[in-house]
PDB file of all heavy atoms in Angstrom:
ATOM      1  N   LEU A 344      97.445  97.428 110.179  1.00 83.00           N
ATOM      2  CA  LEU A 344      96.067  97.520 110.024  1.00 83.00           C
ATOM      3  C   LEU A 344      95.276  96.475 110.846  1.00 83.00           C
ATOM      4  O   LEU A 344      95.333  95.279 110.500  1.00 83.00           O
ATOM      5  CB  LEU A 344      95.585  97.398 108.577  1.00 83.00           C
ATOM      6  CG  LEU A 344      94.499  98.397 108.097  1.00 83.00           C
ATOM      7  CD1 LEU A 344      95.040  99.831 108.045  1.00 83.00           C
ATOM      8  CD2 LEU A 344      94.017  97.980 106.734  1.00 83.00           C
ATOM      9  N   SER A 345      94.594  96.963 111.938  1.00 86.00           N
ATOM     10  CA  SER A 345      93.839  95.949 112.768  1.00 86.00           C
ATOM     11  C   SER A 345      92.335  96.191 112.576  1.00 86.00           C
ATOM     12  O   SER A 345      91.875  97.284 112.729  1.00 86.00           O
ATOM     13  CB  SER A 345      94.212  96.257 114.239  1.00 86.00           C
ATOM     14  OG  SER A 345      95.555  95.923 114.423  1.00 86.00           O
ATOM     15  N   GLU A 346      91.690  95.152 112.171  1.00 89.00           N
ATOM     16  CA  GLU A 346      90.278  95.197 111.910  1.00 89.00           C
ATOM     17  C   GLU A 346      89.445  95.183 113.275  1.00 89.00           C
ATOM     18  O   GLU A 346      89.976  94.550 114.280  1.00 89.00           O
ATOM     19  CB  GLU A 346      89.815  94.142 111.022  1.00 89.00           C
ATOM     20  CG  GLU A 346      90.375  94.292 109.645  1.00 89.00           C
ATOM     21  CD  GLU A 346      89.636  93.498 108.566  1.00 89.00           C
ATOM     22  OE1 GLU A 346      88.429  93.111 108.837  1.00 89.00           O
ATOM     23  OE2 GLU A 346      90.288  93.288 107.528  1.00 89.00           O
ATOM     24  N   PHE A 347      88.285  95.882 113.223  1.00 91.00           N
ATOM     25  CA  PHE A 347      87.372  95.805 114.480  1.00 91.00           C
ATOM     26  C   PHE A 347      85.984  95.736 113.998  1.00 91.00           C
ATOM     27  O   PHE A 347      85.654  96.022 112.866  1.00 91.00           O
ATOM     28  CB  PHE A 347      87.726  97.013 115.339  1.00 91.00           C
ATOM     29  CG  PHE A 347      87.199  98.302 114.704  1.00 91.00           C
ATOM     30  CD1 PHE A 347      85.847  98.769 114.936  1.00 91.00           C
ATOM     31  CD2 PHE A 347      87.988  99.058 113.827  1.00 91.00           C
ATOM     32  CE1 PHE A 347      85.394  99.939 114.410  1.00 91.00           C
ATOM     33  CE2 PHE A 347      87.492 100.231 113.310  1.00 91.00           C
ATOM     34  CZ  PHE A 347      86.249 100.662 113.540  1.00 91.00           C
ATOM     35  N   SER A 348      85.022  95.407 114.926  1.00 91.00           N
ATOM     36  CA  SER A 348      83.689  95.375 114.673  1.00 91.00           C
ATOM     37  C   SER A 348      82.973  95.795 115.959  1.00 91.00           C
ATOM     38  O   SER A 348      83.267  95.185 117.113  1.00 91.00           O
ATOM     39  CB  SER A 348      83.251  94.070 114.150  1.00 91.00           C
ATOM     40  OG  SER A 348      81.818  94.046 113.877  1.00 91.00           O
ATOM     41  N   TRP A 349      81.996  96.591 115.953  1.00 93.00           N
ATOM     42  CA  TRP A 349      81.128  96.997 117.098  1.00 93.00           C
ATOM     43  C   TRP A 349      79.813  96.382 116.854  1.00 93.00           C
ATOM     44  O   TRP A 349      79.168  96.586 115.780  1.00 93.00           O
ATOM     45  CB  TRP A 349      81.085  98.543 117.324  1.00 93.00           C
ATOM     46  CG  TRP A 349      80.128  98.880 118.424  1.00 93.00           C
ATOM     47  CD1 TRP A 349      80.031  98.395 119.694  1.00 93.00           C
ATOM     48  CD2 TRP A 349      79.075  99.798 118.358  1.00 93.00           C
ATOM     49  NE1 TRP A 349      79.070  99.018 120.455  1.00 93.00           N
ATOM     50  CE2 TRP A 349      78.408  99.863 119.588  1.00 93.00           C
ATOM     51  CE3 TRP A 349      78.492 100.647 117.268  1.00 93.00           C
ATOM     52  CZ2 TRP A 349      77.321 100.638 119.822  1.00 93.00           C
ATOM     53  CZ3 TRP A 349      77.418 101.437 117.464  1.00 93.00           C
ATOM     54  CH2 TRP A 349      76.768 101.530 118.789  1.00 93.00           C
ATOM     55  N   ASP A 350      79.313  95.625 117.742  1.00 93.00           N
ATOM     56  CA  ASP A 350      78.081  94.836 117.496  1.00 93.00           C
ATOM     57  C   ASP A 350      76.770  95.745 117.786  1.00 93.00           C
ATOM     58  O   ASP A 350      75.649  95.152 117.600  1.00 93.00           O
ATOM     59  CB  ASP A 350      78.045  93.664 118.458  1.00 93.00           C
ATOM     60  CG  ASP A 350      78.276  93.933 119.915  1.00 93.00           C
ATOM     61  OD1 ASP A 350      78.203  95.141 120.295  1.00 93.00           O
ATOM     62  OD2 ASP A 350      78.503  92.949 120.690  1.00 93.00           O
ATOM     63  N   GLY A 351      76.932  96.993 118.081  1.00 91.00           N
ATOM     64  CA  GLY A 351      75.749  97.738 118.375  1.00 91.00           C
ATOM     65  C   GLY A 351      75.220  97.817 119.796  1.00 91.00           C
ATOM     66  O   GLY A 351      74.134  98.329 120.065  1.00 91.00           O
ATOM     67  N   LEU A 352      75.973  97.074 120.664  1.00 93.00           N
ATOM     68  CA  LEU A 352      75.517  96.969 122.091  1.00 93.00           C
ATOM     69  C   LEU A 352      76.276  97.967 122.879  1.00 93.00           C
ATOM     70  O   LEU A 352      77.422  98.297 122.702  1.00 93.00           O
ATOM     71  CB  LEU A 352      75.755  95.553 122.635  1.00 93.00           C
ATOM     72  CG  LEU A 352      75.110  94.407 121.820  1.00 93.00           C
ATOM     73  CD1 LEU A 352      75.564  93.073 122.542  1.00 93.00           C
ATOM     74  CD2 LEU A 352      73.641  94.539 121.832  1.00 93.00           C
ATOM     75  N   ASP A 353      75.528  98.521 123.979  1.00 92.00           N
ATOM     76  CA  ASP A 353      76.304  99.449 124.834  1.00 92.00           C
ATOM     77  C   ASP A 353      77.081  98.612 125.851  1.00 92.00           C
ATOM     78  O   ASP A 353      76.993  97.390 125.781  1.00 92.00           O
ATOM     79  CB  ASP A 353      75.300 100.378 125.567  1.00 92.00           C
ATOM     80  CG  ASP A 353      74.296  99.742 126.459  1.00 92.00           C
ATOM     81  OD1 ASP A 353      74.409  98.618 126.763  1.00 92.00           O
ATOM     82  OD2 ASP A 353      73.367 100.438 126.972  1.00 92.00           O
ATOM     83  N   SER A 354      77.709  99.245 126.861  1.00 92.00           N
ATOM     84  CA  SER A 354      78.563  98.582 127.824  1.00 92.00           C
ATOM     85  C   SER A 354      77.712  97.656 128.724  1.00 92.00           C
ATOM     86  O   SER A 354      78.210  96.724 129.338  1.00 92.00           O
ATOM     87  CB  SER A 354      79.333  99.583 128.646  1.00 92.00           C
ATOM     88  OG  SER A 354      78.431 100.472 129.334  1.00 92.00           O
ATOM     89  N   GLY A 355      76.390  97.832 128.808  1.00 92.00           N
ATOM     90  CA  GLY A 355      75.560  96.952 129.639  1.00 92.00           C
ATOM     91  C   GLY A 355      74.849  95.859 128.759  1.00 92.00           C
ATOM     92  O   GLY A 355      74.141  95.033 129.340  1.00 92.00           O
ATOM     93  N   GLY A 356      75.136  95.789 127.503  1.00 91.00           N
ATOM     94  CA  GLY A 356      74.649  94.666 126.652  1.00 91.00           C
ATOM     95  C   GLY A 356      73.300  95.011 126.081  1.00 91.00           C
ATOM     96  O   GLY A 356      72.724  94.149 125.435  1.00 91.00           O
ATOM     97  N   THR A 357      72.869  96.266 126.133  1.00 92.00           N
ATOM     98  CA  THR A 357      71.616  96.682 125.510  1.00 92.00           C
ATOM     99  C   THR A 357      71.820  97.120 124.085  1.00 92.00           C
ATOM    100  O   THR A 357      72.790  97.842 123.823  1.00 92.00           O
ATOM    101  CB  THR A 357      70.968  97.832 126.337  1.00 92.00           C
ATOM    102  OG1 THR A 357      70.863  97.474 127.794  1.00 92.00           O
ATOM    103  CG2 THR A 357      69.599  98.260 125.763  1.00 92.00           C
ATOM    104  N   ARG A 358      70.899  96.752 123.260  1.00 93.00           N
ATOM    105  CA  ARG A 358      71.013  97.137 121.683  1.00 93.00           C
ATOM    106  C   ARG A 358      70.721  98.690 121.629  1.00 93.00           C
ATOM    107  O   ARG A 358      69.753  99.092 122.116  1.00 93.00           O
ATOM    108  CB  ARG A 358      70.003  96.317 120.981  1.00 93.00           C
ATOM    109  CG  ARG A 358      70.003  96.701 119.488  1.00 93.00           C
ATOM    110  CD  ARG A 358      71.140  96.052 118.783  1.00 93.00           C
ATOM    111  NE  ARG A 358      71.201  96.587 117.384  1.00 93.00           N
ATOM    112  CZ  ARG A 358      72.246  96.296 116.626  1.00 93.00           C
ATOM    113  NH1 ARG A 358      73.344  95.570 117.047  1.00 93.00           N
ATOM    114  NH2 ARG A 358      72.227  96.771 115.370  1.00 93.00           N
ATOM    115  N   MET A 359      71.667  99.310 120.972  1.00 94.00           N
ATOM    116  CA  MET A 359      71.495 100.721 120.808  1.00 94.00           C
ATOM    117  C   MET A 359      70.581 101.002 119.605  1.00 94.00           C
ATOM    118  O   MET A 359      70.556 100.182 118.618  1.00 94.00           O
ATOM    119  CB  MET A 359      72.898 101.381 120.504  1.00 94.00           C
ATOM    120  CG  MET A 359      73.785 101.354 121.688  1.00 94.00           C
ATOM    121  SD  MET A 359      73.165 102.046 123.227  1.00 94.00           S
ATOM    122  CE  MET A 359      73.055 103.768 122.662  1.00 94.00           C
ATOM    123  N   PRO A 360      69.824 102.135 119.590  1.00 93.00           N
ATOM    124  CA  PRO A 360      68.965 102.393 118.449  1.00 93.00           C
ATOM    125  C   PRO A 360      69.751 102.759 117.139  1.00 93.00           C
ATOM    126  O   PRO A 360      70.917 103.164 117.296  1.00 93.00           O
ATOM    127  CB  PRO A 360      68.146 103.684 118.964  1.00 93.00           C
ATOM    128  CG  PRO A 360      69.053 104.225 119.984  1.00 93.00           C
ATOM    129  CD  PRO A 360      69.828 103.150 120.614  1.00 93.00           C
ATOM    130  N   ALA A 361      69.096 102.543 116.071  1.00 91.00           N
ATOM    131  CA  ALA A 361      69.735 102.883 114.752  1.00 91.00           C
ATOM    132  C   ALA A 361      70.107 104.388 114.688  1.00 91.00           C
ATOM    133  O   ALA A 361      69.313 105.261 115.278  1.00 91.00           O
ATOM    134  CB  ALA A 361      68.851 102.522 113.625  1.00 91.00           C
ATOM    135  N   GLY A 362      71.087 104.743 114.032  1.00 89.00           N
ATOM    136  CA  GLY A 362      71.552 106.167 113.929  1.00 89.00           C
ATOM    137  C   GLY A 362      73.005 106.315 113.752  1.00 89.00           C
ATOM    138  O   GLY A 362      73.748 105.357 113.548  1.00 89.00           O
ATOM    139  N   GLN A 363      73.400 107.578 113.755  1.00 89.00           N
ATOM    140  CA  GLN A 363      74.860 107.720 113.534  1.00 89.00           C
ATOM    141  C   GLN A 363      75.593 107.766 114.939  1.00 89.00           C
ATOM    142  O   GLN A 363      75.091 108.342 115.926  1.00 89.00           O
ATOM    143  CB  GLN A 363      75.039 109.129 112.855  1.00 89.00           C
ATOM    144  CG  GLN A 363      74.637 109.115 111.358  1.00 89.00           C
ATOM    145  CD  GLN A 363      75.156 110.273 110.607  1.00 89.00           C
ATOM    146  OE1 GLN A 363      75.549 111.356 111.198  1.00 89.00           O
ATOM    147  NE2 GLN A 363      75.210 110.180 109.317  1.00 89.00           N
ATOM    148  N   TYR A 364      76.777 107.172 114.820  1.00 92.00           N
ATOM    149  CA  TYR A 364      77.596 107.090 115.983  1.00 92.00           C
ATOM    150  C   TYR A 364      79.031 107.468 115.613  1.00 92.00           C
ATOM    151  O   TYR A 364      79.463 107.256 114.462  1.00 92.00           O
ATOM    152  CB  TYR A 364      77.681 105.652 116.557  1.00 92.00           C
ATOM    153  CG  TYR A 364      76.398 105.336 117.162  1.00 92.00           C
ATOM    154  CD1 TYR A 364      75.332 104.753 116.416  1.00 92.00           C
ATOM    155  CD2 TYR A 364      76.124 105.512 118.580  1.00 92.00           C
ATOM    156  CE1 TYR A 364      74.051 104.506 117.008  1.00 92.00           C
ATOM    157  CE2 TYR A 364      74.921 105.157 119.169  1.00 92.00           C
ATOM    158  CZ  TYR A 364      73.832 104.642 118.409  1.00 92.00           C
ATOM    159  OH  TYR A 364      72.636 104.279 118.902  1.00 92.00           O
ATOM    160  N   ALA A 365      79.762 108.089 116.521  1.00 91.00           N
ATOM    161  CA  ALA A 365      81.046 108.571 116.302  1.00 91.00           C
ATOM    162  C   ALA A 365      82.054 107.575 116.891  1.00 91.00           C
ATOM    163  O   ALA A 365      81.673 107.005 117.997  1.00 91.00           O
ATOM    164  CB  ALA A 365      81.436 109.928 116.810  1.00 91.00           C
ATOM    165  N   LEU A 366      83.138 107.277 116.392  1.00 93.00           N
ATOM    166  CA  LEU A 366      84.102 106.313 116.944  1.00 93.00           C
ATOM    167  C   LEU A 366      85.450 107.095 116.991  1.00 93.00           C
ATOM    168  O   LEU A 366      85.812 107.692 116.041  1.00 93.00           O
ATOM    169  CB  LEU A 366      84.154 105.085 116.055  1.00 93.00           C
ATOM    170  CG  LEU A 366      82.954 104.160 116.175  1.00 93.00           C
ATOM    171  CD1 LEU A 366      82.028 104.462 115.078  1.00 93.00           C
ATOM    172  CD2 LEU A 366      83.454 102.645 116.011  1.00 93.00           C
TER     173      LEU A 366
END
Side-chain angles (χ1 to χ4, degrees):
L344 220 70
S345 294
E346 293 197 21
F347 70 89
S348 181
W349 174 53
D350 55 11
L352 303 177
D353 68 5
S354 55
T357 305
R358 179 74 187 174
M359 296 302 295
Q363 287 194 339
Y364 290 86
L366 288 91

